[in-house]
Amino acid sequence: MQDEDRYVEYTFLLRTLLMDDRDLAMTVSARRRLSILGRGVNDAEAYIARIDPLFTEVRARYVDALHRVKPKSKWLRTIIGTAIQETCETHGPDHPLVAELCAVQKRWPVRAGRSIARKVEQAEQEVANLRGTAPDRQYAAAVCALATRYYEAGRYDAMIDAYDGLVAELDSLDLDERAMTLFEDLVANAYYNHGEVTRAAPLLASLYAKGAERRRPDIPFEDLIDGAFLHLSTGRCYLATGQFSAAETVLRDSAERLRRHDDKLDNEHFHLLRHRTTYELGSALWKQGGKREAAECFQEAHELLVESRFANEKTATVYHSAKTYSLL
């Protein structure tokens, strides 16, 4: 009850901050507003659940302020993809708040230095030279390298266009199954990391459908990790695109397989997958109204973290806040 009372108190304070921010934008300097919203984000991260729409609303306001004051901020480029992903989960991918965050992302300052311009030109020429004349795997790798150069140059739309073009070509390229899986996985993760969840979803669904061997109940521990990372990404992408039942199916199935190997919790990758999958399963359940079971998942994820040598105070706070919010 103390946790719930404290949660309600901070919720009230942060909602007040959001209402006051409308006046702040007109009455204080942009830097002062950024400082105030920065403290608000710190409070949100310490006390508010990521599944609470209020959290993503506070962070979106902070992103706007940061972009206005420091458009070249490396920190902005670091957090924007996650901000979009999580806002898609709380508000849906078609919400205006998501569109506002995407607009910030697409206004990255273009880096116009000679060195980066030359690297982009070389990558573009490489793709042009390889198209239709080289092994298709080499050509696909060159397109991915070009997309990376566009990212480095701050050319967001060009990067996405490069990945979109490759996806459109994949089925017509002469790639064996392993290479096809490699490029689908690479592009899906690039999309997802930048918050392009509607683009990532069909690729992740394709990879999941092809990975039946990784979903055997008796899969050996050595073969479990890579598949579980894919299942976690797929489940999170389903959450971000509003496919909550599909997310539950993927995450519950993966969580059950992972639990069979709890004697391996001293493995860092397995431990990460174990508590993250359990937490995201709780999110999927909560989205469908399963408050009690969702709270149990959040509590299990929290205990896995705090009772481990891999304890992480910030993540533990996220899990604890989620449990508190889910029971309000």
Side-chain angles (χ1 to χ4, degrees):
M1 290 179 64
Q2 289 178 342
D3 287 342
E4 291 176 3
D5 288 346
R6 190 179 301 114
Y7 194 98
V8 170
E9 177 185 352
Y10 274 96
T11 295
F12 173 77
L13 292 173
L14 288 169
R15 290 198 185 282
T16 301
L17 171 64
L18 290 181
M19 289 188 291
D20 290 346
D21 182 57
R22 302 181 189 283
D23 294 328
L24 287 175
M26 296 182 289
T27 59
V28 303
S29 70
R31 287 189 176 276
R32 175 62 177 157
R33 176 180 176 242
L34 174 62
S35 176
I36 293 170
L37 287 170
R39 291 198 295 273
V41 165
N42 289 338
D43 285 343
E45 289 182 342
Y47 299 105
I48 305 299
R50 300 295 177 100
I51 58 174
D52 186 339
L54 177 61
F55 176 88
T56 50
E57 289 167 13
V58 172
R59 186 172 54 190
R61 202 71 66 87
Y62 169 74
V63 165
D64 173 72
L66 180 60
H67 177 257
R68 291 175 186 275
V69 176
K70 301 177 180 179
K72 296 183 179 181
S73 166
K74 292 182 180 178
W75 178 237
L76 178 59
R77 291 184 67 167
T78 299
I79 66 173
I80 189 69
T82 300
I84 293 170
Q85 295 162 15
E86 292 182 348
T87 307
C88 286
E89 289 187 32
T90 56
H91 291 71
D94 298 324
H95 194 275
L97 197 60
V98 174
E100 291 173 14
L101 288 167
C102 289
V104 169
Q105 182 167 245
K106 291 183 178 183
R107 290 198 296 269
W108 283 349
V110 175
R111 296 175 59 195
R114 288 185 180 180
S115 176
I116 190 64
R118 184 165 58 251
K119 290 177 180 178
V120 168
E121 289 174 5
Q122 289 172 346
E124 289 175 334
Q125 190 60 53
E126 180 77 1
V127 169
N129 291 341
L130 293 175
R131 181 177 281 114
T133 65
D136 285 351
R137 179 166 181 154
Q138 188 177 352
Y139 165 72
V143 174
C144 291
L146 173 59
T148 299
R149 293 302 187 194
Y150 284 142
Y151 173 78
E152 294 168 352
R155 296 172 59 182
Y156 184 84
D157 286 338
M159 176 191 71
I160 294 299
D161 286 345
Y163 284 130
D164 285 352
L166 179 58
V167 170
E169 289 184 282
L170 276 177
D171 287 338
S172 64
L173 297 179
D174 183 18
L175 299 172
D176 59 31
E177 184 176 349
R178 184 174 180 179
M180 180 70 79
T181 298
L182 170 69
F183 287 113
E184 283 184 333
D185 184 62
L186 191 155
V187 177
N189 279 289
Y191 281 151
Y192 186 74
N193 289 337
H194 292 295
E196 298 281 353
V197 295
T198 56
R199 284 179 161 91
L203 289 174
L204 288 169
S206 172
L207 289 165
Y208 183 78
K210 292 191 295 187
E213 185 66 18
R214 292 176 169 179
R215 301 197 299 277
R216 296 193 339 260
D218 60 341
I219 186 169
F221 179 77
E222 296 74 21
D223 301 326
L224 179 71
I225 300 297
D226 287 345
F229 272 113
L230 169 63
H231 304 153
L232 178 59
S233 296
T234 303
R236 292 190 67 197
C237 199
Y238 281 148
L239 285 172
T241 52
Q243 302 176 74
F244 306 133
S245 178
E248 179 192 348
T249 298
V250 170
L251 294 165
R252 187 185 293 279
D253 185 42
S254 184
E256 289 174 355
R257 272 192 307 279
L258 289 166
R259 286 190 181 106
R260 296 189 182 100
H261 297 276
D262 272 359
D263 59 315
K264 303 293 197 306
L265 279 168
D266 60 343
N267 178 292
E268 187 171 7
H269 291 300
F270 175 79
H271 184 268
L272 172 65
L273 284 164
R274 180 73 170 81
H275 68 74
R276 284 297 304 275
T277 300
T278 304
Y279 167 78
E280 297 298 350
L281 174 59
S283 298
L285 292 164
W286 183 81
K287 287 286 188 180
Q288 298 174 90
K291 296 177 64 173
R292 179 59 59 179
E293 191 178 2
E296 291 172 358
C297 285
F298 296 142
Q299 177 65 18
E300 181 183 354
H302 182 263
E303 290 173 355
L304 283 165
L305 198 60
V306 298
E307 297 175 2
S308 161
R309 67 186 180 92
F310 306 116
N312 181 301
E313 183 177 353
K314 186 173 183 179
T315 305
T317 298
V318 170
Y319 294 171
H320 183 73
S321 298
K323 179 189 175 184
T324 302
Y325 177 67
S326 68
L327 293 174
L328 286 176

